[in-house]
Amino acid sequence: MRRNPRDLQRYSAGERANHWVVGICFILLALSGLAFFHPAFFPLTQLFGGGPWTRILHPYIGVVMMLFFIMMFLRFWRLNVMEQRDVEWLKNVNKMIDGNDHDMPEQGKYNGGQKVLFWGLVVGMLALTASGVAMWRAWLHLPVDMVRVASVVHAAAAVWMIGLIIMHVYAAIWTRGTIRAMLYGTVTRAWAKQHHRGWYRKMTGDNS
Ligand code: HEM
């Protein structure tokens, strides 16, 4: 994509690479996890070299995702702290969904919805990792009752995460001009002014 010199930098290369490692791990984990969840999905194990290999690889991919998620958390948590203007934005979210986003309260780099999603992902990742490690019998031998509880928590956390990520991807596609932020790092000034006016003003000094 040709870059306009007036575009605004939203993500560095490091931030984007970090995000995509998490995103790719998430897709691999969802595919391999679904294969364990129900026989209808078992053919997905072919993507990973068969049943035993899928079972071996899934937890290691989980560890990679968690480590990179921790890095992403450290990069982004401060920008996702809730403020009063985010609460106002959330109260008006129906207006925006109806297509009228002109009267929404001004937003910083992230809006209230993105921030709620961020903390929802943090909770989901903690539950997924703790329950996944508890079930990892290659390394740990916890009592069978704990493993049973962990497997229910793990499945529930996975459903929660898949639901949140479907919303995340849908919102990224629905808000036109957003995907390129994670592909090329930049957004147009018009995009920033319309969706994140506070951030736009901070980046450009334009208070019009
Ligand atoms: C796999 C498909 C995915 C796509 C297409 C996608 C797309 C995007 C896009 C376009 C943005 C930029 C939004 C903006 O700047 O306003 C973004 C930000 C972000 N994404 Fe993703 N993403 C995906 C997966 C994930 C996964 C699996 C996670 C974590 C488990 C994740 C966590 C985040 C976080 C934390 C941000 C920064 C926004 C914030 O801090 O609130 N993404 N994503």
Side-chain angles (χ1 to χ4, degrees):
M1 176 181 284
R2 197 193 286 161
R3 274 178 61 173
N4 182 328
R6 283 177 53 78
D7 287 347
L8 301 177
Q9 187 76 31
R10 193 158 165 89
Y11 294 106
S12 66
E15 288 169 335
R16 281 177 278 147
N18 193 162
H19 175 263
W20 289 122
V21 172
V22 174
I24 291 165
C25 286
F26 187 84
I27 291 167
L28 295 176
L29 287 163
L31 292 173
S32 50
L34 285 171
F36 306 140
F37 190 71
H38 192 276
F41 296 117
F42 191 74
L44 290 171
T45 56
Q46 293 305 312
L47 297 170
F48 300 88
W53 269 113
T54 311
R55 183 63 190 80
I56 292 166
L57 290 172
H58 179 89
Y60 287 102
I61 302 172
V63 170
V64 174
M65 177 163 92
M66 187 57 185
L67 293 177
F68 279 82
F69 186 82
I70 292 171
M71 283 188 236
M72 197 154 74
F73 174 81
L74 295 174
R75 288 176 196 269
F76 291 120
W77 76 267
R78 275 190 202 84
L79 291 163
N80 284 284
V81 173
M82 280 283 178
E83 295 169 28
Q84 189 51 39
R85 62 181 172 179
D86 303 319
V87 177
E88 293 304 316
W89 188 93
L90 287 168
K91 282 187 191 152
N92 286 290
V93 74
N94 282 344
K95 270 198 224 163
M96 197 209 54
I97 291 171
D98 285 344
N100 168 17
D101 63 354
H102 295 285
D103 303 330
M104 298 297 282
E106 176 176 296
Q107 293 294 288
K109 186 163 186 183
Y110 298 116
N111 63 41
Q114 288 175 295
K115 292 184 180 183
V116 168
L117 186 111
F118 178 85
W119 294 108
L121 291 176
V122 172
V123 171
M125 285 296 296
L126 286 174
L128 264 186
T129 310
S131 56
V133 169
M135 276 194 280
W136 203 357
R137 271 161 291 175
W139 296 101
L140 267 187
H141 297 281
L142 295 183
V144 69
D145 284 341
M146 281 183 76
V147 175
R148 284 181 182 141
V149 172
S151 66
V152 176
V153 173
H154 202 65
V159 169
W160 169 254
M161 286 296 285
I162 291 171
L164 289 185
I165 292 302
I166 289 174
M167 273 163 45
H168 177 60
V169 174
Y170 182 77
I173 295 171
W174 182 60
T175 312
R176 278 181 64 191
T178 306
I179 292 285
R180 56 171 280 178
M182 266 305 168
L183 292 176
Y184 312 107
T186 57
V187 289
T188 63
R189 286 177 181 238
W191 180 95
K193 196 170 181 179
Q194 182 169 355
H195 302 298
H196 299 277
R197 191 171 298 229
W199 180 71
Y200 167 81
R201 290 198 291 106
K202 194 171 153 216
M203 294 293 284
T204 60
D206 173 2
N207 287 316
S208 65

